[in-house]
Amino acid sequence: MATAPRIIATFLLLSVCTFPAASAQRAETNYDESKVPSYTLPDPLIAEDGQVIDTASLWWEKRRPEILELFEREVYGRSPGRPESMEFQVTSVDDQALESTAIRKEVSVLFTGEPDGPKMDVLIYQPAAAEGPVPVFLGLNFFGNHTIRDDPGITLSQQWMRPNRELGIVDNRATEASRGANASRWAVEDILAAGYALATIYCGDLDPDFDDGFQNGVHPLFYRPGQQRPDPDQWGTIAAWAWGLSRAVDYFETDPQLDAERVAVMGHSRLGKTALWAGAVDPRFAIVISNNSGCGGAALSRRRFGETVARINTSFPHWFCENFKKYNDNEDQLPVDQHQLIALIAPRPVYVASASEDRWADPRGEFLAALHAEPVYQLLGKPGLGTDQMPPVNTPVGHTIGYHLREGRHAVESYDWQQYLNFANKHFFGK
Ligand code: GTR
């Protein structure tokens, strides 16, 4: 099997000298490619018992479940399924939104079936002119549905928000000033003009983004009697956010105006990590898009470039499951690495995007993870990335795995959306 030697050879080329192994003192953030330690990635096509995975059925029956289990147990934590009593409530519809170019809908997903109980609110814009069900871009947002567009018809979120004066968040709550505050991240017009719906949910509806020992958000809904917090292998906040994305697809399946078989899940940064995990656990996501997702997303953990496992688990102790903390300054003991997260999405199209100034997220590590997912795509009859050379800025590459390095900072820009629309047009419609 050629995969393992090729992986090692690629890393030897990239690794000029070796960093000391885990030391008692936490290493400084490394931004020097020559100081990336040498490492060996777990091979997605060699099973835990050493068996070479050389057929699609061995992948589906043996290796994929094994890798998924490792990510659930050691990285993101196990999530529950769909709540039995969950119900949907359409709370508003405006078929003359955005100067009559769009239908705007708001749908509450009532996790216990109770209108006053825990819920998430989905905002949907769909092209007014569409005939038949439309494909959907779905993504979580950071500061409320009303921030994606300055549209007074969108309900202002009442939920707790991370502090951000610039975006109009005062005392951890949204204000009218936060309407449209993140509009630059959402290419609403372009998405609608290309014939797609856009659906979004505030991530804090599922779990507010701070460490409260998992008392708020959806986690307590699933505690056993007497349970106080998730077990070490149970879901953290990223997994809860991903779970919410799947609940949105549950709704799409009931809405004849939306094509639940053509849902592209997209996320930026922490929500890009979330999009990847959602795509890995839920095969209903037909396309998965990671925008600048970095550590715990598309970037290889073993490179220890920019943000590391120890840093992320310290700054955001609630994002991953408790077991993930075993790998703080101990990346080589991880039974998986992030190329295998991408491989879990195979053979579905996946797009990884980096930004040239976003060194914290390790653009090269994101590219390499996409590259080393490719053997699984090939095994399943898909071309994968199609190049082992990281492209220059603003030069999208790839086939079933797409990649670009946008010039500029950590953000979602219209350039990124243009590539995602091209990618979805190609894979959904052969355009
Ligand atoms: C950073 C975090 C990153 C990334 C980013 C974001 O502070 O270290 O992993 O998720 O936040 O979500 O914007």
Side-chain angles (χ1 to χ4, degrees):
M1 189 74 218
T3 315
R6 201 186 71 175
I7 289 179
I8 294 165
T10 311
F11 297 142
L12 288 177
L13 279 175
L14 291 166
S15 317
V16 180
C17 74
T18 308
F19 222 40
S23 58
Q25 250 223 310
R26 184 142 303 155
E28 292 289 297
T29 303
N30 179 39
Y31 289 128
D32 181 347
E33 192 59 37
S34 75
K35 291 192 176 138
V36 170
S38 56
Y39 57 90
T40 306
L41 289 181
D43 191 321
L45 294 179
I46 298 186
E48 295 292 283
D49 64 4
Q51 185 177 7
V52 173
I53 304 301
D54 53 5
T55 65
S57 59
L58 273 172
W59 168 255
W60 290 115
E61 282 152 34
K62 179 162 182 164
R63 185 60 171 149
R64 188 181 187 281
E66 202 171 77
I67 295 174
L68 184 60
E69 156 74 14
L70 289 169
F71 274 106
E72 284 183 323
R73 197 182 72 208
E74 304 293 323
V75 183
Y76 302 99
R78 302 178 201 283
S79 298
R82 172 189 172 136
E84 268 173 30
S85 47
M86 187 172 84
E87 282 184 28
F88 309 114
Q89 189 180 39
V90 178
T91 56
S92 78
V93 180
D94 178 357
D95 55 15
Q96 294 185 341
L98 307 183
E99 288 161 359
S100 298
T101 60
I103 300 171
R104 182 196 343 95
K105 273 188 228 170
E106 293 178 302
V107 180
S108 292
V109 178
L110 310 173
F111 298 132
T112 58
E114 301 293 329
D116 298 332
K119 61 167 184 158
M120 65 177 194
D121 294 328
V122 190
L123 166 69
I124 302 165
Y125 280 122
Q126 55 193 67
E131 285 169 26
V134 286
V136 186
F137 276 95
L138 169 67
L140 297 171
N141 63 69
F142 284 73
F143 289 101
N145 295 344
H146 62 275
T147 60
I148 78 150
R149 178 84 204 187
D150 186 4
D151 174 349
I154 304 174
T155 304
L156 194 78
S157 175
Q158 304 296 317
Q159 295 289 344
W160 183 95
M161 310 266 164
R162 287 176 80 87
N164 195 321
R165 281 225 156 247
E166 212 182 307
L167 297 184
I169 310 301
V170 178
D171 296 333
N172 299 107
R173 301 286 155 183
T175 64
E176 284 293 327
S178 60
R179 286 194 182 279
N182 259 336
S184 69
R185 287 189 175 174
W186 299 90
V188 177
E189 260 89 22
D190 294 345
I191 294 167
L192 292 170
Y196 294 83
L198 172 64
T200 189
I201 304 148
Y202 171 47
C203 64
D205 282 6
L206 291 144
D207 194 15
D209 192 5
F210 69 99
D211 182 21
D212 74 330
F214 300 102
Q215 299 312 301
N216 61 20
V218 291
H219 297 88
L221 284 177
F222 297 90
Y223 286 160
R224 303 178 293 270
Q227 189 177 7
Q228 298 294 324
R229 58 177 298 135
D231 295 340
D233 67 343
Q234 286 183 328
W235 55 344
T237 293
I238 288 175
W241 291 338
W243 177 90
L245 290 166
S246 287
R247 304 292 70 83
V249 182
D250 294 341
Y251 167 73
F252 301 158
E253 287 176 339
T254 70
D255 185 334
Q257 296 178 324
L258 302 175
D259 184 349
E261 290 181 4
R262 290 200 179 103
V263 178
V265 63
M266 178 274 181
H268 169 59
S269 205
R270 67 199 68 185
L271 303 178
K273 310 179 206 298
T274 306
L276 288 169
W277 182 234
V281 292
D282 189 339
R284 294 176 300 172
F285 292 110
I287 291 180
V288 180
I289 301 164
S290 150
N291 191 91
N292 306 179
S293 63
C295 180
L300 293 174
S301 299
R302 279 170 174 76
R303 278 173 49 83
R304 289 153 264 201
F305 187 103
E307 189 170 31
T308 61
V309 171
R311 286 293 293 269
I312 205 166
N313 278 332
T314 305
S315 314
F316 305 100
H318 54 297
W319 280 0
F320 299 87
C321 72
E322 201 57 30
N323 278 340
F324 194 45
K325 296 183 179 140
K326 294 190 289 191
Y327 306 102
N328 289 354
D329 297 319
N330 192 24
E331 288 85 350
D332 291 321
Q333 294 308 310
L334 268 166
V336 285
D337 212 318
Q338 300 304 109
H339 61 308
Q340 290 164 298
L341 176 65
I342 297 172
L344 287 174
I345 296 163
R348 289 167 289 147
V350 61
Y351 200 105
V352 174
S354 308
S356 61
E357 291 164 19
D358 188 17
R359 295 186 309 161
W360 183 241
D362 187 12
R364 179 169 292 277
E366 295 183 315
F367 172 77
L368 289 173
L371 173 63
H372 294 303
E374 184 173 77
V376 177
Y377 278 79
Q378 288 173 338
L379 181 70
L380 301 178
K382 297 285 181 183
L385 197 58
T387 175
D388 57 7
Q389 297 301 309
M390 189 167 172
V393 291
N394 299 348
T395 312
V397 292
H399 299 283
T400 318
I401 304 175
Y403 178 83
H404 73 245
L405 174 67
R406 176 182 42 74
E407 189 169 19
R409 64 194 178 93
H410 183 73
V412 194
E413 298 190 351
S414 62
Y415 178 88
D416 300 306
W417 274 110
Q418 207 46 62
Q419 311 321 314
Y420 306 152
L421 286 165
N422 291 344
F423 192 70
N425 284 342
K426 181 168 84 181
H427 291 288
F428 283 158
F429 302 109
K431 290 200 247 180

